[in-house]
Amino acid sequence: MTESDIRTYLAGAETAQASSDADPITTEVVRHALISATKLMKVTLCRTAFSPTIYEHLDFACALYDRHIRLLAQAPSLPIFLGTLNFCVDAVVRATGGAEILVPGDILLTTYGFDTGSHSQDAALVMPAFCEDELMGYAVIKAHWADIAAKDPYCTDTVDNFQEGTIYPGIRIFRAGRLQEDLYRTVLANSRFPERLIGDFNAQVNGLRAGVKAFCGIVEKHGVETFNSSIERMFDHGEEIVRRKFAQIPDGRYLARGIMDDNGVSDDPIPFDITVEVRGSDVLVDYAAAPPQQPGPVNCPLPATVSASRVAICAIAGVGETSHEGHFRPIKVRVRKGTMFDPKPPAPIFLYGWPMFQAIEVICLAIAKAMPTAVPGGSGGDICGVNWWGEEQDGEKWYQAGPHVVGQGGSAQADGANALMHIGTAATGETPIELWEARYPVQIDKWELAADSAGSGRHRGGLGVDFDIRMLRDCYITATFERTKNPGWGLEGGKPGRKNSLWVEFPDGSKTEFAKATRVPIPAGSVMAFRTGGGGGWGKPADRDPEKIHEDIANGYMTEERCREEYPHVFAEAQENTQINGTLDD
Amino acid sequence: MTTWFAVDIGGTFTDFVIYDEASGLLNVAKVLSTPDALERAIEDLIEGETLGVSISDASYFIQGTTVGLNTILERTGPTLGQLATRGFRDVLELRRGKRDEMYNLFWHPPQPLIPRRLRLPVSERTTGEGRILHEVEPIDIREATQIFTANGVESVAVAFINSYANPKNELVARDLLQEFGYEGEVSLSHEVSSEYREFERTSTTVIDAYVRPQVNRFLKGLDNKLKNLGFSGLFLITRCGGGLITLDEATRRPFETIQSGPVAGAMGAAEICRHLGIKDAIAADVGGTSFETCLIANSKLPMKFSGEVADLPIQAPWVDVHSIGTGGGSLAWIDEGGLLRVGPRSAGSNPGPASYGWGGLEATVTDAAVALGMLGHTKLAGGITLDHELAIRALKPLAERLSKDPIELAIGVITIMSASMANAIREATVQKGHDPRGAVLIAFGGAGPLFATHLARELGISTILIPPHPGNFSAWGLLSQDIMQTYSKSIVLPLDDHSIDLANDEIASLFERLAGVHGASLGGKSEEREVALDLRYRGQEYSLTIPVPSTDGRIEHKAVWIVDEFNRRYEEVYGHLLGTPIELVAVRATSRLRLAKPALVASLTKVAGDANKSAADEVRTYSYAAGRWIPFALIERTSIQVGDRLEGPAIITEPTSTTYLDSGFSLLVDESGNVAISAQRKVD
């Protein structure tokens, strides 16, 4: 590998147009209207979608872009998708012949992972927004389709991109508002669950149309010129928010190391280094030292690498509601071709999201070296996903999948939150137990916070959960557990939390642990035991307020036994008190 | 002859409307609320001389209360305990694992209302089909009882997994609690809600347990006071799903009373729509700290079957009012990137807007309106005098930071406020498949009429309706409701003639329970039964609630009719159809006892007291339509008569509100004589 393999990615810069003369009040009005338009896209999609993956887990992202493919607004949805959508728009427009030949009513589709920064199941649909015949921008929704004919419904062991689902390399699925029937039938033919795909596809198209209509309403109301100057000002404003935060972080190069458990096809851990360089208010996230691209599917295509960096930096900067291109401007991302964070096609990328989840936390860890109060300790670090499918008694096929909660890291301000989604899937929620049991052949034995799973510290980490699912019928699972070898780290003397783990107790009483495993047959009567990780602590355990320790014991968040080991100072004092007062019970 | 008392207790004001059916007259009063003892404001006013109507003549006393809401917001409820299925004691704390703020690394969910040490596990289990897998283990309940007693628990929520499908184990648990000596209140999840989703049902049950002691104390206390004052009529309370319930039902299901103000206003707007034959309307209620809006299509309020209070879900019928945290008292501020923002922080009633002169120094929306002359005069209800100088002084520091003058800043504050309300209206209409442009905007609340022409312009709406007494309109809305209760049950089955039979059985038992609710006090009134089904395409999660005609609560239609009806409605909402099978998800039974008030809408224009005919005055005010200061006619509302026509610009004042009629709008008092002002935008 040579220096020529290195590339640096920068967000869309300002156009030549002077921006600061835009009225701050109109800018605020336009900004909110754009957010409101993307919410409309989201609601339209969710209300009519067929897959819980969409309506429950929000495994999608909706956004509006301007004609220069700069992010205008996005609805709160899957953070790891949100930073990739500009790549989707750019690639699909180029692939179909360029912006010049787009006409109103066109809708373009791509599932090519190196363009979308996702596995092929995450299908991006893009619709140009023509406002009075002028191309003003694009609406885009990337959403997880139930199935797109990968070798298995969900894979952890692919060795090239062709095993991972059908590639639609940028096609016009609607031409001037008319569905291209031949292509559509091809798409449906390439799915194990075509009925769900029909529902989800239609929902996605409706969402796009609603977005374009709302977008044009905003342009029409303010006029093209005012609209354009307002968004420039909006971008400047977002950039300022991020720059202010990073200006407070001392200049320097901060290196942190993450370790992936394995690549899905072999067992060896994969250490990787990320350097965050802060200079003034500029941030460079440098992945150039990443290991070579992997023979298994944990490779992260460039759009996904950029997106992970954006999620981490926006979170560290405390970008409140929702981000746009301006927030991304201070962020540079440096990668090296042929590595895990910029793989060359046709590298396998099915688990592209897993290195993203790790990268987001490792970027935070790097920042902790500069400013330990700016970020929390490590979390369980994963979404502890399991996909399962099988047949009901009447022969009907079912499929279920979803992310799960982990403990969050403690911080300078407070204990870590118990059991939340990884920041990379922040807006997602768990499926209700009663819905599980009403819909799928399962019985849930336990869904509870796991005592003692948090890392100790002045502010302890948050707890993970214990989640036991009893299978009532035979089924298959694909497990995608990460961070089963390395726990969520503590900061400033805080201790690590519990690691993630998954095992199956078979009807004969035998137990097998799984982490990444594809199409494992699970007989009826087996119990799948999820043990999701806890967050790392912040600060030395010896500095923890004794009152909080007693509260933790009273509430069963921690056992007394464990607290005696982790926080001996409290019990030593108690002993003295006992001797002096002779009143405390043992 | 019937006299109705309606009282809406808000954070700042307690609003009264008294309607005398015989004379058709309306009495209106507004007094400052007494937060330390809410019933005192009511008592004082009833005992005072000003009303001119005696409570002993009243047949109905209708009450909207925020006691429950305040208990939750201020966390002043009692110590609670919970019994949970073993393995699931953390349902309340785990929620759904979502982060409400996408990019916040430090986000924490709100503290659960019950600490973990008082959420106690019980060995028991019911399956999703309602089969009892394990009976309740009595030892667990005995131990729990001891812990509850030792910790001073006053109210217990029992919420078991799948109890919606079979209530047996929850009932057994309650009996055992009592058997082992627990003497406090008990809320059972299956009684609170018979729908699945354990977190939402548990949350609702816990809220019920939490507000129960305070709400019941307040309602029973008020009931006693009213009786002592000579009231012998029926005491009714409004519920967040719309409609009135008896005192008895309210004390059994206190969570249903948690939010009433926004609902009552929307109810009033719907009543006006029905009376005037308005097809689609948008209710726009601008209060001091919040803005509430909803679409009223075909004179019906939008309903949903889950709500939220302080980030805690409530699984109950809920009038789908879209709310945002900006109102007249919202503060203007400049964020760290240099953009002007409005709300959600509010000056409240203490210190209030700077121009009130109560010591507030920060600029609010009201101050911006005062600076621009939009409020016309200087006197408001409750003896408030507006100080223009203080308003300008508050705006100045913000203006300087943006290199603007205070007037420019004030224009900006009103613009942002209007735009964010317009966005909320879009979210309540466009997102539900309705075009706001064809709807009538019904503006009320203290500041609604101030923003009515702004909102109409933003949304392209051509007709506005402003009822009289806009500031008391929510209290008037209380009068427009019927006695009503809805019970529901989850029942997930493919839709066919057989499942409709099963649904009919479930519906019959829901009506049986409802018959017990209305009780003997309502004898003589005939009950109307309404039935609705929640349906969806098999595979979807979200369902649509489809009202289905019934004969005395029994569905006579076959599945094929219901399929057509569902498809028609689905296409209306989502613009397309799917050819896949349809699934039944839940049945809903509503029992309604109509309280006929034929002349109620007419009463709006018949206020006790003399019309005040004052000479028209003039005031210089900023016109958004003209983009400059121009003279506005200053007119008292009581001086305008039915049939009068008036061209904007004008400012119309009345005790509870001020209407800003921008240039380009004209005003007409409805010919039918029934309703007040309608404003029409002239064609430009």
Side-chain angles (χ1 to χ4, degrees):
Chain A
M1 270 182 270
T2 64
E3 278 306 304
S4 66
D5 289 328
I6 299 260
R7 47 178 170 164
T8 302
Y9 186 84
L10 185 63
E14 56 268 67
T15 55
Q17 178 173 14
S19 58
S20 55
D21 61 344
D23 175 38
I25 290 154
T26 311
T27 301
E28 180 66 359
V29 171
V30 168
R31 186 176 77 88
H32 274 289
L34 287 166
I35 295 170
S36 182
T38 61
K39 282 191 194 158
L40 172 62
M41 295 170 72
K42 174 179 168 177
V43 169
T44 309
L45 171 64
C46 281
R47 300 298 291 189
T48 57
F50 263 46
S51 298
T53 325
I54 292 177
Y55 58 73
E56 287 286 345
H57 305 133
L58 310 187
D59 197 346
F60 66 81
C62 303
L64 292 172
Y65 282 83
D66 77 350
R67 71 179 103 184
H68 306 293
I69 315 184
R70 295 176 303 173
L71 176 60
L72 292 169
Q74 55 182 18
S77 41
L78 192 63
I80 58 165
F81 277 14
L82 291 167
T84 66
L85 298 183
N86 61 310
F87 294 93
C88 302
V89 179
D90 184 46
V92 80
V93 170
R94 268 189 294 110
T96 50
E100 305 72 33
I101 63 165
L102 290 171
V103 296
D106 279 355
I107 296 182
L108 316 175
L109 161 68
T110 174
T111 63
Y112 183 49
F114 292 85
D115 285 344
T116 61
S118 277
H119 45 215
S120 301
Q121 292 176 311
D122 297 332
L125 289 183
V126 176
M127 185 170 183
F130 282 93
C131 310
E132 303 206 336
D133 292 331
E134 193 179 347
L135 178 66
M136 287 301 294
Y138 303 89
V140 52
I141 300 178
K142 182 164 92 173
H144 186 107
W145 285 359
D147 193 84
I148 189 168
K151 64 179 268 292
D152 287 294
Y154 215 89
C155 317
T156 62
D157 58 355
T158 45
V159 296
D160 73 27
N161 187 228
F162 298 104
Q163 297 182 328
E164 299 182 327
T166 316
I167 295 168
Y168 302 107
I171 60 172
R172 251 184 193 73
I173 189 82
F174 280 87
R175 195 178 285 272
R178 237 186 47 245
L179 179 66
Q180 303 302 289
E181 293 287 347
D182 292 352
L183 288 175
Y184 184 55
R185 282 189 303 104
T186 309
V187 169
L188 297 183
N190 277 285
S191 175
R192 292 178 177 88
F193 307 106
E195 277 189 10
R196 277 170 62 164
L197 189 50
I198 292 170
D200 293 346
F201 176 84
N202 278 306
Q204 211 171 338
V205 168
N206 287 337
L208 287 176
R209 288 179 173 158
V212 165
K213 195 171 161 202
F215 183 2
C216 291
I218 299 165
V219 174
E220 194 186 315
K221 177 172 163 39
H222 296 278
V224 172
E225 205 172 305
T226 306
F227 176 81
N228 282 337
S229 66
S230 297
I231 62 173
E232 296 302 338
R233 171 120 198 202
M234 173 181 89
F235 291 149
D236 290 348
H237 169 257
E239 179 177 359
E240 177 70 17
I241 300 240
V242 176
R243 288 197 181 282
R244 275 186 188 222
K245 178 70 186 189
F246 278 88
Q248 294 164 17
I249 294 173
D251 284 6
R253 281 178 64 81
Y254 306 102
L255 181 140
R257 165 162 291 194
I259 307 174
M260 296 281 296
D261 286 352
D262 58 64
N263 64 25
V265 297
S266 67
D267 259 352
D268 302 327
I270 314 161
F272 65 91
D273 290 341
I274 298 176
T275 302
V276 180
E277 184 181 305
V278 179
R279 193 148 299 173
S281 62
D282 286 324
V283 197
L284 171 71
V285 185
D286 191 344
Y287 296 83
Q293 69 185 50
Q294 298 292 306
V298 296
N299 296 300
C300 188
L302 175 71
T305 302
V306 171
S307 185
S309 313
R310 288 173 170 174
V311 172
I313 299 301
C314 285
I316 292 164
V319 172
E321 311 137 312
T322 157
S323 57
H324 54 66
E325 199 74 19
H327 298 111
F328 301 160
R329 278 188 191 154
I331 310 168
K332 266 189 207 157
V333 178
R334 193 161 172 267
V335 291
R336 185 191 293 270
K337 249 192 187 336
T339 62
M340 193 168 84
F341 286 102
D342 186 14
K344 291 180 190 166
I349 56 173
F350 204 98
L351 298 183
Y352 73 96
W354 278 255
M356 291 177 83
F357 297 133
Q358 297 317 302
I360 291 167
E361 294 215 325
V362 171
I363 292 167
C364 290
L365 181 59
I367 291 297
K369 297 190 173 173
M371 198 188 246
T373 54
V375 289
S379 75
D382 189 34
I383 60 171
C384 299
V386 170
N387 299 254
W388 50 111
W389 63 99
E391 283 184 2
E392 296 277 9
Q393 205 148 17
D394 59 8
E396 190 175 337
K397 290 195 177 90
W398 62 275
Y399 175 87
Q400 217 282 348
H404 299 290
V405 292
V406 293
Q408 304 297 308
S411 68
Q413 298 85 37
D415 288 351
N418 291 334
L420 287 184
M421 288 292 164
H422 188 287
I423 189 99
T425 62
T428 300
E430 292 272 3
T431 304
I433 303 296
E434 291 174 347
L435 193 149
W436 274 87
E437 294 195 354
R439 272 206 168 185
Y440 308 109
V442 299
Q443 182 192 310
I444 312 231
D445 288 349
K446 183 190 230 186
W447 190 55
E448 204 163 55
L449 288 168
D452 293 342
S453 58
S456 311
R458 188 174 117 200
H459 294 141
R460 67 160 168 81
L463 302 173
V465 294
D466 291 353
F467 186 20
D468 291 349
I469 306 181
R470 185 176 297 275
M471 308 310 301
L472 302 180
R473 294 184 57 78
D474 295 351
C475 69
Y476 292 98
I477 63 161
T478 290
T480 59
F481 265 55
E482 182 46 64
R483 289 273 287 275
T484 62
K485 296 175 181 167
N486 297 287
W489 49 79
L491 290 177
E492 300 291 288
K495 294 283 170 29
R498 151 174 113 171
K499 291 180 275 197
N500 299 312
S501 61
L502 170 74
W503 68 78
V504 176
E505 192 177 331
F506 291 97
D508 66 4
S510 67
K511 276 188 191 177
T512 309
E513 285 217 31
F514 294 98
K516 296 192 189 74
T518 299
R519 196 182 269 273
V520 183
I522 306 287
S526 305
V527 175
M528 309 208 348
F530 291 65
R531 296 291 175 266
T532 78
W538 198 98
K540 293 189 197 84
D543 294 337
R544 185 163 180 77
D545 178 353
E547 202 174 305
K548 289 201 157 163
I549 295 166
H550 292 305
E551 256 175 51
D552 278 350
I553 295 171
N555 280 313
Y557 293 129
M558 299 287 289
T559 59
E560 182 173 343
E561 191 185 4
R562 180 68 180 278
C563 284
R564 283 183 182 273
E565 286 166 25
E566 299 286 321
Y567 305 104
H569 63 289
V570 176
F571 298 92
E573 276 167 30
Q575 203 121 39
E576 274 167 36
N577 287 344
T578 312
Q579 283 163 359
I580 296 164
N581 304 325
T583 53
L584 280 181
D585 291 335
D586 193 359
Chain B
M1 180 187 116
T2 312
T3 301
W4 306 69
F5 273 59
V7 182
D8 182 34
I9 305 180
T12 316
F13 292 107
T14 296
D15 297 339
F16 271 73
V17 168
I18 297 158
Y19 169 52
D20 179 39
E21 212 175 320
S23 64
L25 275 182
L26 214 58
N27 262 277
V28 177
K30 205 177 189 67
V31 295
L32 281 169
S33 288
T34 46
D36 51 323
L38 291 171
E39 66 279 13
R40 214 179 55 228
I42 300 175
E43 210 180 345
D44 289 351
L45 199 79
I46 289 174
E47 282 185 315
E49 303 282 300
T50 48
L51 278 184
V53 184
S54 167
I55 186 83
S56 54
D57 294 336
S59 305
Y60 294 97
F61 186 92
I62 304 176
Q63 149 81 39
T65 171
T66 50
V67 173
L69 183 65
N70 292 341
T71 306
I72 292 175
L73 293 178
E74 294 157 14
R75 298 245 169 174
T76 50
T79 305
L80 293 189
Q82 188 200 335
L83 296 181
T85 305
R86 188 173 295 281
F88 301 92
R89 72 190 284 206
D90 295 320
V91 162
L92 188 69
E93 180 169 354
L94 286 166
R95 299 165 68 90
R96 302 281 298 276
K98 279 181 201 173
R99 290 170 193 263
D100 287 358
E101 292 169 27
M102 201 165 60
Y103 289 123
N104 186 349
L105 287 165
F106 305 102
W107 190 79
H108 277 69
Q111 277 285 327
L113 290 170
I114 309 178
R116 192 170 199 256
R117 65 197 163 81
L118 295 175
R119 303 195 302 259
L120 303 176
V122 175
S123 295
E124 69 82 34
R125 191 65 152 87
T126 302
T127 68
E129 298 93 54
R131 192 160 49 85
I132 303 288
L133 212 55
H134 302 294
E135 305 276 344
V136 173
E137 175 54 67
I139 293 167
D140 291 344
I141 310 265
R142 188 165 62 203
E143 279 174 11
T145 307
Q146 285 162 0
I147 295 171
F148 291 157
T149 308
N151 284 277
V153 167
E154 290 172 55
S155 190
V156 169
V158 181
F160 291 159
I161 296 289
N162 289 330
S163 64
Y164 74 93
N166 183 346
K168 187 181 162 207
N169 280 1
E170 286 190 353
L171 293 167
V172 169
R174 180 194 52 197
D175 292 347
L176 287 169
L177 272 173
Q178 284 158 0
E179 194 181 314
F180 293 128
Y182 170 75
E183 288 173 348
E185 308 270 9
V186 180
S187 299
L188 303 181
S189 88
H190 77 273
E191 283 186 351
V192 165
S193 161
S194 300
E195 296 184 52
Y196 71 178
R197 287 177 180 264
E198 69 285 350
F199 166 56
E200 288 76 3
R201 193 176 67 253
T202 302
S203 165
T204 312
T205 313
V206 169
I207 286 171
D208 187 66
Y210 195 63
V211 302
R212 182 175 289 270
Q214 247 130 319
V215 169
N216 288 3
R217 207 174 301 139
F218 168 72
L219 290 178
K220 285 174 181 163
L222 182 56
D223 184 50
N224 275 334
K225 289 233 164 75
L226 292 174
K227 281 182 180 138
N228 291 341
L229 291 167
F231 175 65
S232 57
L234 194 56
F235 184 12
L236 296 169
I237 295 101
T238 191
R239 64 202 258 280
C240 33
L244 303 171
I245 50 180
T246 57
L247 174 66
D248 194 42
E249 173 78 342
T251 51
R252 281 200 314 113
R253 298 168 68 81
F255 75 97
E256 290 217 56
T257 68
I258 219 158
Q259 170 172 301
S260 59
V263 177
M267 284 279 176
E271 177 72 14
I272 286 182
C273 289
R274 266 192 296 277
H275 191 80
L276 296 183
I278 295 170
K279 195 170 162 288
D280 291 341
I282 294 162
D285 178 359
V286 189
T289 55
S290 67
F291 168 66
E292 268 107 17
T293 185
C294 71
L295 176 85
I296 301 165
N298 297 319
S299 309
K300 287 213 170 76
L301 290 180
M303 294 297 297
K304 55 180 188 175
F305 296 96
S306 63
E308 197 170 80
V309 158
D311 292 328
L312 306 170
I314 294 188
Q315 202 176 39
W318 198 264
V319 175
D320 191 2
V321 176
H322 195 84
S323 181
I324 57 171
T326 45
S330 294
L331 294 169
W333 54 289
I334 292 166
D335 74 9
E336 50 184 7
L339 287 187
L340 178 62
R341 305 279 192 106
V342 177
R345 220 159 57 79
S346 161
S349 60
N350 183 21
S355 52
Y356 282 16
W358 294 349
L361 296 173
E362 293 181 84
T364 63
V365 170
T366 300
D367 297 316
V370 169
L372 297 174
M374 292 172 68
L375 288 165
H377 61 152
T378 57
K379 292 250 190 288
L380 295 184
I384 296 160
T385 304
L386 298 170
D387 187 323
H388 184 266
E389 186 49 41
L390 288 175
I392 297 288
R393 206 181 294 167
L395 290 159
K396 212 166 179 183
L398 297 179
E400 278 167 3
R401 283 177 58 196
L402 292 180
S403 311
K404 291 181 175 291
D405 67 42
I407 294 302
E408 286 174 313
L409 190 96
I411 293 168
V413 169
I414 299 293
T415 303
I416 288 175
M417 171 82 177
S418 308
S420 56
M421 289 192 289
N423 281 336
I425 292 175
R426 280 187 202 101
E427 284 169 23
T429 53
V430 184
Q431 289 193 7
K432 297 193 168 78
H434 290 274
D435 187 338
R437 285 175 298 186
V440 174
L441 184 77
I442 302 182
F444 56 94
L450 193 61
F451 284 96
T453 55
H454 285 81
L455 292 175
R457 203 175 3 243
E458 285 269 348
L459 294 160
I461 288 172
S462 55
T463 310
I464 305 167
L465 201 140
I466 298 172
H469 330 297
N472 277 32
F473 187 70
S474 288
W476 185 84
L478 290 171
L479 293 174
S480 69
Q481 304 174 91
D482 295 321
I483 298 175
M484 192 172 94
Q485 180 58 291
T486 301
Y487 283 174
S488 63
K489 183 147 175 45
S490 286
I491 161 174
V492 184
L493 290 170
L495 180 65
D496 53 29
D497 290 343
H498 174 64
S499 60
I500 291 173
D501 285 344
L502 295 176
N504 269 328
D505 294 346
E506 291 291 355
I507 292 165
S509 71
L510 292 176
F511 277 121
E512 205 169 299
R513 275 174 62 203
L514 283 166
V517 167
H518 289 329
S521 59
L522 304 166
K525 290 195 178 57
S526 68
E527 182 202 26
E528 291 170 29
R529 294 181 161 185
E530 294 162 17
V531 173
L533 300 177
D534 286 11
L535 300 167
R536 66 186 172 203
Y537 288 114
R538 188 164 164 79
Q540 288 180 321
E541 175 51 21
Y542 291 104
S543 53
L544 282 178
T545 300
I546 309 288
V548 178
S550 72
T551 308
D552 197 27
R554 189 170 176 85
I555 301 171
E556 306 280 6
H557 282 292
K558 294 287 182 202
V560 58
W561 186 92
I562 295 169
V563 167
D564 284 350
E565 182 64 12
F566 173 77
N567 280 332
R568 193 186 62 73
R569 181 75 189 121
Y570 191 91
E571 190 168 20
E572 200 176 290
V573 175
Y574 299 118
H576 69 278
L577 277 182
L578 298 166
T580 43
I582 294 166
E583 192 171 57
L584 177 63
V585 187
V587 295
R588 301 185 184 278
T590 300
S591 167
R592 180 193 292 273
L593 300 175
R594 244 178 235 292
L595 300 176
K597 290 145 288 192
L600 180 60
V601 174
S603 74
L604 273 174
T605 51
K606 292 193 183 175
V607 183
D610 297 326
N612 187 352
K613 279 271 184 193
S614 64
D617 209 343
E618 219 175 63
V619 58
R620 276 186 77 76
T621 298
Y622 182 79
S623 161
Y624 276 78
R628 62 197 162 83
W629 293 76
I630 52 174
F632 275 56
L634 187 59
I635 297 159
E636 286 205 30
R637 179 145 179 177
T638 46
S639 70
I640 316 172
Q641 298 295 311
V642 167
D644 282 0
R645 200 182 171 83
L646 187 74
E647 296 288 324
I651 285 167
I652 301 107
T653 64
E654 58 193 304
T656 66
S657 190
T658 303
T659 302
Y660 173 84
L661 184 75
D662 205 349
S663 115
F665 289 85
S666 66
L667 172 157
L668 175 77
V669 179
D670 198 280
E671 306 125 357
S672 67
N674 282 322
V675 168
I677 296 177
S678 95
Q680 249 155 8
R681 196 179 175 190
K682 280 195 302 191
V683 181
D684 291 329

